[in-house]
Amino acid sequence: METAIVAGGCFWCTEAVFRDVIGVTEVESGYIGGTTENPTYKEVCTGATGHAEGVRLTYDPAAISYAQILDVFLGTHDPTQLNRQGNDVGTQYRSAIFPLDDAQRAEAKAAVARAGEANTAPVVTSIEGPATWYPAEDYHQEYWEGEGQRNPYCMAVIPPKLMKLRKSFQNAVKSEKA
């Protein structure tokens, strides 16, 4: 099993996407890339800590490669929006990849280049780190599967991302749950 860390705006949205990706066995929402130790959601939301809302993925490289993880990531949010995703505005919503080693860093650069070719606007996804990962509070974990289904924001934002995943990355989507 391997690990990848990405930030693509609201972590609830990114977590919901990757929970449906073949080979991804664990998705944890959290904070990365800032200066405050053990930040809280309330602190990160101010934008003052420098952290991004991100997800840490555990995946099976025999089922999905790091390059494929990054392509799904860059293809299911808007990597051309600087420090925002839709109505979520601030550095905590930036598009960023946090490579864990030199091989991941090289692949991140290649993935951003691929995304640049696929988008008409410039891709602003940053490649950051190394940085310390801080898991988000328990109530943020698996948010879409629970509270998110009753949250109007999530109901407006997450289903279109899941549809984009199913349309653009059909071979990477787990089969429908019975």
Side-chain angles (χ1 to χ4, degrees), residues 35-117:
T35 56
T36 302
E37 287 188 32
N38 299 305
T40 65
Y41 182 66
K42 188 174 181 179
E43 290 170 331
V44 171
C45 283
T46 68
T49 70
H51 291 88
E53 287 191 15
V55 294
R56 181 169 62 178
L57 312 170
T58 303
Y59 68 96
D60 179 354
I64 189 167
S65 69
Y66 184 68
Q68 291 169 308
I69 292 276
L70 296 180
D71 289 345
V72 168
F73 166 66
L74 291 163
T76 54
H77 79 288
D78 187 347
T80 69
Q81 291 189 342
L82 184 63
N83 296 328
R84 72 178 304 149
Q85 281 296 298
N87 292 330
D88 290 332
V89 179
T91 57
Q92 67 271 32
Y93 302 115
R94 68 187 178 272
S95 175
I97 301 168
F98 292 85
L100 301 175
D101 57 32
D102 290 340
Q104 282 192 357
R105 185 168 299 279
E107 191 53 59
K109 290 177 184 177
V112 169
R114 286 191 302 276
E117 293 171 6

